[in-house]
Amino acid sequence: MNLITNSELSNHPTFVSNNNINHKTFKTMITTANIKNGVNVDQLVETIGAVQSNPELAKFEFRAKNKWIDGGHAVSHIKDFYGVGAEDESRQETFEMECSHPNVLLGQNEAATPPEVLLHALGSCLTGAMVYHAAANGIEIESASSTLKGGCDLHGFLGLDPAVRMGFDGIKFTLKVKSDASAEQLEQLAKFSPVFDMVTNPTPVTIEIIKE
Amino acid sequence: MNLITNSELSNHPTFVSNNNINHKTFKTMITTANIKNGVNVDQLVETIGAVQSNPELAKFEFRAKNKWIDGGHAVSHIKDFYGVGAEDESRQETFEMECSHPNVLLGQNEAATPPEVLLHALGSCLTGAMVYHAAANGIEIESASSTLKGGCDLHGFLGLDPAVRMGFDGIKFTLKVKSDASAEQLEQLAKFSPVFDMVTNPTPVTIEIIKE
């Protein structure tokens, strides 16, 4: 699949929609690592080329292990994943993270609540997607910081009113960014975020419960 | 709204669907804290009563601040929130958490990726929801641990194929639990999870980008 000449994709935003990034000129003109926004654009272009040559390389599986401590307090461990045709061997560290609840939600404030952790994942993902796609399009991002707010009504979680949802009724993401690109263009780039996709669109979750 | 006598809600699962928990007998029979599954059931019943008396107390707003470091590396800080009619003052600690990416996704493995962090939030939330609702229904949970797996295809994130979504095409949650309750009942309790709701159903995200 050739992004630049495939007319079917001409109106679809792509990682390499800017002609400034051309595999051939790129490889011959650049001799040192080409870093933009902290992204190694050489490696990015190679990744795109590899995926285009062998679509199987694009398949990833991410995983987490979670263990209940007590009440609304739990800990996750994250390390291994599958991608680029193999189990990852690059990670030395297992990432440990907790969730808990504040006093008014019957916890002891050991960690942030799961919905707050979702806000963290969403903000990081929207920003990262913008930064990667900006790098691929030759757009510089000087700085970026954001706030996220999500409102909910406990009548949902408590089961007191079936008309009220359990989760946030909406999330507001406000991003302050220094860049020459327009706000509209940056928003389009941010929307490549996988977590944004998973929050705004339904993602099926299969539950299997095994009694021990 | 009275849960036990309101016929409109009779087929809707609720936090206090088990007659074992009755405000009046509860208050007179129990003199020490009634802890089940690490959940203070006295406080839980009081919370439900307070929300029923004053629905405004059920409104919460959770928040996160996110700051881009470079590439796909970002850090969030989470502390303040609004709930039970006031800004929270119980949290002494600001929770700091990062997201980053592994080498094959152009990062340096400083932290888990945003989709992995979403798995952590989802697993913690499904488990916590099950535990809280089990406590309210007099069901003991002895232990609970889970694995979460999410698969995706980079053709979506890279913008190479508009038919492929950016996020996980599905998530598998496998929970091992020790409890006398049936797997079916535990699954119903877990589905009160706010993050499960937000992942499986669309949650609107408003994006505002402010150029600095």
Side-chain angles (χ1 to χ4, degrees):
Chain A
M1 186 182 299
N2 186 313
L3 291 180
I4 295 159
T5 60
N6 189 327
S7 62
E8 285 184 283
L9 291 174
S10 60
N11 290 319
H12 181 70
T14 66
F15 217 70
V16 284
S17 61
N18 188 312
N19 282 331
N20 289 344
I21 298 180
N22 177 290
H23 291 223
K24 198 173 279 183
T25 55
F26 204 88
K27 287 285 175 63
T28 53
M29 289 173 68
I30 309 291
T31 53
T32 55
N34 178 14
I35 307 293
K36 188 128 201 140
N37 307 332
V39 176
N40 184 325
V41 182
D42 297 19
Q43 194 190 343
L44 177 54
V45 171
E46 281 171 17
T47 301
I48 293 165
V51 165
Q52 287 178 305
S53 305
N54 183 356
E56 282 299 308
L57 297 181
K59 292 188 177 166
F60 276 67
E61 183 182 83
F62 289 108
R63 304 155 190 157
K65 292 177 185 171
N66 185 268
K67 188 165 172 52
W68 175 54
I69 298 171
D70 66 3
H73 188 194
V75 59
S76 290
H77 291 96
I78 293 174
K79 186 179 185 187
D80 59 287
F81 68 89
Y82 176 89
V84 199
E87 286 292 318
D88 174 68
E89 293 183 353
S90 73
R91 282 184 174 165
Q92 303 302 309
E93 189 185 345
T94 297
F95 304 117
E96 182 176 291
M97 52 199 86
E98 294 181 39
C99 278
S100 189
H101 291 77
N103 306 149
V104 291
L105 295 172
L106 316 184
Q108 304 298 324
N109 270 331
E110 298 92 339
T113 64
E116 289 172 311
V117 172
L118 181 140
L119 294 180
H120 158 55
L122 178 63
S124 299
C125 200
L126 281 162
T127 302
M130 176 186 74
V131 164
Y132 276 39
H133 280 268
N137 284 280
I139 296 166
E140 190 170 344
I141 307 291
E142 285 183 62
S143 68
S145 61
S146 60
T147 59
L148 298 104
K149 296 180 180 181
C152 62
D153 182 326
L154 275 192
H155 284 85
F157 174 71
L158 292 173
L160 296 176
D161 184 349
V164 176
R165 67 180 296 179
M166 286 78 165
F168 292 142
D169 48 24
I171 296 172
K172 178 75 192 279
F173 173 69
T174 307
L175 178 70
K176 291 186 179 178
V177 58
K178 278 192 192 174
S179 171
D180 286 339
S182 70
E184 292 70 22
Q185 187 171 14
L186 295 171
E187 180 172 336
Q188 287 310 310
L189 301 180
K191 285 182 171 173
F192 278 99
S193 159
V195 174
F196 175 76
D197 172 22
M198 286 190 272
V199 170
T200 56
N201 298 304
T203 302
V205 177
T206 306
I207 297 179
E208 184 184 12
I209 295 189
I210 300 168
K211 294 277 302 287
E212 290 197 306
Chain B
M1 187 181 298
N2 185 313
L3 290 179
I4 295 158
T5 60
N6 189 327
S7 62
E8 283 183 285
L9 291 174
S10 61
N11 290 319
H12 181 69
T14 66
F15 218 68
V16 284
S17 61
N18 189 313
N19 282 330
N20 289 342
I21 297 180
N22 177 290
H23 292 222
K24 197 173 280 183
T25 56
F26 204 86
K27 288 285 176 62
T28 53
M29 290 173 68
I30 309 292
T31 53
T32 56
N34 179 14
I35 308 293
K36 187 128 200 142
N37 308 331
V39 177
N40 185 324
V41 182
D42 297 18
Q43 194 190 343
L44 177 55
V45 171
E46 281 170 17
T47 301
I48 293 165
V51 165
Q52 288 179 303
S53 305
N54 182 357
E56 282 300 307
L57 297 180
K59 292 188 178 164
F60 276 67
E61 183 182 82
F62 289 108
R63 306 156 188 156
K65 292 177 184 171
N66 186 269
K67 188 165 172 50
W68 176 53
I69 298 171
D70 66 3
H73 188 193
V75 60
S76 290
H77 291 97
I78 291 173
K79 187 178 185 187
D80 59 286
F81 68 89
Y82 176 89
V84 200
E87 286 291 317
D88 174 67
E89 293 183 353
S90 73
R91 281 184 174 164
Q92 302 302 310
E93 188 186 346
T94 297
F95 304 117
E96 181 176 291
M97 50 199 87
E98 294 181 39
C99 278
S100 189
H101 291 78
N103 306 149
V104 293
L105 295 173
L106 317 183
Q108 305 297 324
N109 270 330
E110 297 94 338
T113 64
E116 289 172 310
V117 172
L118 181 140
L119 293 180
H120 157 55
L122 178 62
S124 298
C125 201
L126 281 162
T127 302
M130 175 186 74
V131 164
Y132 276 40
H133 281 267
N137 284 279
I139 296 167
E140 189 170 346
I141 306 291
E142 284 183 62
S143 67
S145 61
S146 60
T147 58
L148 298 105
K149 297 181 180 180
C152 62
D153 182 327
L154 274 191
H155 283 86
F157 174 72
L158 293 173
L160 297 175
D161 184 348
V164 177
R165 68 181 295 179
M166 287 77 165
F168 292 142
D169 48 25
I171 296 171
K172 177 74 192 281
F173 173 68
T174 306
L175 177 71
K176 291 186 180 177
V177 58
K178 277 192 193 173
S179 172
D180 286 337
S182 70
E184 292 71 22
Q185 187 172 14
L186 295 170
E187 180 172 335
Q188 287 309 310
L189 301 180
K191 284 181 171 173
F192 279 99
S193 159
V195 174
F196 175 77
D197 172 22
M198 286 190 272
V199 170
T200 56
N201 298 305
T203 302
V205 177
T206 306
I207 297 178
E208 183 184 12
I209 295 188
I210 300 168
K211 294 278 301 289
E212 291 198 305

